[in-house]
Amino acid sequence: MRLSTAAVLLLLASCLSPGHGILEAHYTNLKCRCPRMSLAFVPPNLIERIQVTPPGNGCPRTEVVVWTKSKKVLCVNPLARWLQRVLKFAQSKNIFSTPPAPVSKRRTT
C-alpha cells in the first residue's frame, strides 16, 4: 500500500514541474500588445492620443500605441525619429500629459 501511495505522489510531483515558468521565460512577447511596429509617419495634427508602455509584465520591449482622430490604432516603433520629436514637443507643451494618479488618504485613529 505504501509503495502505491509513493508512486502516486511521485507521479503528482512530476506533473507539477515548473514547465509553465520555463515557457513563459522564453515566450514573453505573448503578452505584448503590439505584434508588429510601424515606422510610418503619422502627422501630429491627426494624433488623438499616445500611450507609451515601458517594458515589464511579460513584454520585454517599450511599446508606443497611437490613436488617430479617425479611430485607427497604430503600434509605432519607439525609436522612430518623428515620434521622438512629437513626444518631445508634447512634453514641452504639456499636450499629452496624463492626469495624476489618485492618492488615497490614510486614516489615523
Side-chain angles (χ1 to χ4, degrees):
M1 185 80 154
R2 285 187 177 183
L3 182 60
S4 63
T5 306
V8 169
L9 286 176
L10 183 61
L11 182 65
L12 255 169
S14 67
C15 291
L16 298 175
S17 67
H20 176 69
I22 292 170
L23 286 176
E24 190 171 333
H26 291 294
Y27 298 108
T28 56
N29 62 351
L30 293 177
K31 295 182 181 179
C32 292
R33 184 171 184 176
C34 299
R36 283 182 263 132
M37 293 186 199
S38 171
L39 285 172
F41 175 72
V42 179
N45 59 343
L46 296 180
I47 296 175
E48 184 176 319
R49 185 170 64 143
I50 296 177
Q51 179 184 9
V52 179
T53 307
N57 292 333
C59 186
R61 62 178 183 248
T62 301
E63 295 183 312
V64 178
V65 182
V66 175
W67 284 266
T68 63
K69 292 181 181 176
S70 62
K71 305 301 180 201
K72 288 185 180 180
V73 179
L74 304 169
C75 291
V76 181
N77 187 343
L79 301 176
R81 186 176 281 167
W82 69 267
L83 180 66
Q84 296 298 322
R85 291 179 184 160
V86 168
L87 289 175
K88 190 174 184 179
F89 176 77
Q91 287 176 346
S92 69
K93 298 292 184 183
N94 239 353
I95 295 173
F96 297 116
S97 64
T98 57
V103 178
S104 62
K105 295 181 180 179
R106 281 191 167 170
R107 291 186 181 178
T108 55
T109 56

